[in-house]
Amino acid sequence: MAGDALSIRDRVMKSLCEKKLLVENDINKALEIQKERGGTLSDILVGMGVVSRNDLVSAMSKELGIPPIDLSRYQISPEVIKLVSKKVARSYRIVPISKMGNFLTIAIADPLNVFTTDDIASFTGCKISVVIASDKDITEAISQYYEAAAPEAIEQIIDEMAPHAGGIELLSDAEETLSSTQLVKMIQEAPVVKVVNMLLAEGVMARASDILIEPQETSLRIRYRVDGVLQEVKAPPKRIHPALISRLKVISNLNIAEHRLPQDGRFKVRIQRREIDFRISVLPSSNGEKIALRVLDKSQATLDIAKLGFDEESLENIKKAAMRPHGMILACGPTGCGKTTTLYSVLNYVDSPEKNIITAEDPVEYQLEGISQLTVKPELNLTFASSLRSFLRQDPDVIMVGEIRDFETVDIAIKAALTGHLVLSTLHTTTASGSIVRLVNMGVEPFLITSSIVLIAAQRLVRRICEACKESYKIDEETAKKIQLKSGEKNIAYRGKGCKACRNTGYRGREGLIETLVLTPEIRRLILEKAEENKIRREARAAGMKTLRENGIKKIISGITTIEDILRVTVGDQDVPVK
């Protein structure tokens, strides 16, 4: 049997190599890791980032002749779920799908584990039929069908906690009235730990990028930012707010006795086989301390530049700029639009043993193997500018600066770009052409801009329509005119009706929307003349640049996102008149 398993594995690996999704060195490295740490080969390869889970599922399905399934589109009967215990489902990473007679169909993440079907057959007394699902779908299905819903579970925990919570609800200013000793005693109680764990786990399973815990005058509000939009969820009573905040402070190594000053920290947890980093910010408010948690889920990060959703022309522009020996690439846009992810993807694209790559970030969001990453600490006078000076003594080939905030930083960055280094950074402007005007306003001489910058990219994140509840409809004339839809283009758009898979929002996931400005000779001339943003933008479009709105319309017609979401994140010519 072991020999059969090995041959099956080899067939799958060979198929991935033939499709150029893997190279032999990746497999050898994964086998070494498996020998040292254990675990499945598929998990290790996905964890290394050398192959996606979907590509792996597709290859296994083809080689093994096992059909794949999209669990998000499938509704499983509670009677079928009862046939396999939660412990078994989580341990073997399987979900029962259906039962006909004595045949039980299960969805499995790793069909290369040949012992799974035998074990499930012995547990259930059924003959087993297998379909393949992604590990992510299996995890979400187990959470959906086996775990108690977070609000109900939290209510049950609070009820258990009631005798211990005694007089807390009577205090009008709990944070200042309770002593540190009382708080320590409260946060050591199991119910408080369970509530915090439940809130964190539910946030991760909802794919939230941020979790906000906000005290109101008489209540507590908890919101998750999912796909860029805040969604309110049922919250526990305000009486446990002091214990909730203190528990989060303890695991973040913050001072639980400090309630007057803001505090920042971070912690790491493991949730359903995934390591999740949390950045925490505590802010005093009139109603008590407010907490903002940034969720950094490495398994959700896409650091392959080809998979960010950019159009082919923009992608080609970025790749050409990234392969230049020196110059500056700027990523622009508002906070939370994916600039850092794009720069990480560019670093991943250019990374090789022949290049020395160093980054300065605030803070380091994801650890990139083979790249030296530094977290700036302004309180220690370790700023972006001082970091850049130190970097230039480290013989770098590629430098990434997390953000250009002042003239000193941009001045050193431009000098680095002019002296033979590829420099990547971000700037808070709304459009690519607007970045040039912003640099001039910061005090950068136009001739330095034209001789150092090779590409400016402005981007946004748009929500993808949920595939499980997607439907088409005809665009009316007024809307077609609003988005400036050309007469030759089809007037069919798509939207999500809302379902369980997308939490009734009609959207599931996000992808990038970008405009790339390449400095042509004519644009360089305009910069030297200190031309207005509109003139630079008009010339860039004449040279072939597609704006955010224009690329957004393509995504509408392709059925990737909705008209409402494109109008929400982009500005068209009709919104800002061009002079």
Side-chain angles (χ1 to χ4, degrees), residues 432-433 436 446 449-450 453 456 516-533 535-545:
S433 52
I436 294 169
I449 296 174
T450 59
I453 292 178
I456 303 175
T516 53
L517 189 154
V518 179
L519 271 64
T520 63
E522 185 59 29
I523 289 175
R524 293 178 196 276
R525 183 186 64 78
L526 289 173
I527 294 172
L528 291 171
E529 293 174 358
K530 295 188 177 181
E532 296 176 354
E533 177 185 343
K535 289 183 180 178
I536 296 172
R537 183 168 181 264
R538 193 160 54 222
E539 178 55 40
R541 292 186 66 185
M545 182 187 84

Side-chain angles (χ1 to χ4, degrees), residues 290-354:
K290 173 183 176 179
I291 277 189
L293 290 162
R294 169 61 57 90
V295 185
L296 301 172
D297 185 353
K298 294 178 185 178
S299 67
Q300 299 289 322
T302 303
L303 299 183
D304 183 345
I305 196 169
K307 296 180 180 178
L308 296 179
F310 301 153
D311 63 285
E312 289 183 14
E313 189 177 336
S314 297
L315 185 60
E316 193 60 32
N317 288 338
I318 294 171
K319 286 181 176 179
K320 283 181 181 177
M323 296 314 294
R324 291 180 63 129
H326 55 82
M328 181 183 283
I329 297 173
L330 285 177
C332 309
T335 302
C337 71
K339 300 186 296 295
T340 304
T341 300
T342 297
L343 293 188
Y344 276 152
S345 301
V346 173
L347 290 180
N348 203 34
Y349 178 71
V350 301
D351 185 27
S352 71
E354 294 79 28

Side-chain angles (χ1 to χ4, degrees), residues 169-185:
E169 60 188 332
L170 302 177
L171 301 175
S172 58
D173 197 1
E175 283 82 354
E176 295 186 10
T177 308
L178 289 173
S179 68
S180 295
T181 306
Q182 288 174 299
L183 281 172
V184 170
K185 185 178 178 182

Side-chain angles (χ1 to χ4, degrees), residues 332-334 337 429-431 458-462 511-513 548 569-570:
C332 309
C337 71
T429 55
T430 55
T431 63
Q459 72 176 79
R460 302 290 188 275
L461 288 175
V462 293
E511 68 174 50
L513 186 65
L548 288 165
V569 301
T570 68

Side-chain angles (χ1 to χ4, degrees), residues 241-276:
H241 176 248
L244 203 65
I245 299 299
S246 296
R247 169 63 183 167
L248 287 166
K249 284 183 179 179
V250 165
I251 62 179
S252 308
N253 293 317
L254 301 180
N255 183 0
I256 66 168
E258 178 58 71
H259 306 291
R260 298 165 299 171
L261 296 174
Q263 296 187 71
D264 296 296
R266 64 191 307 156
F267 61 93
K268 183 184 291 186
V269 299
R270 188 183 295 275
I271 297 176
Q272 297 190 343
R273 298 172 180 263
R274 291 145 63 186
E275 278 195 2
I276 314 292

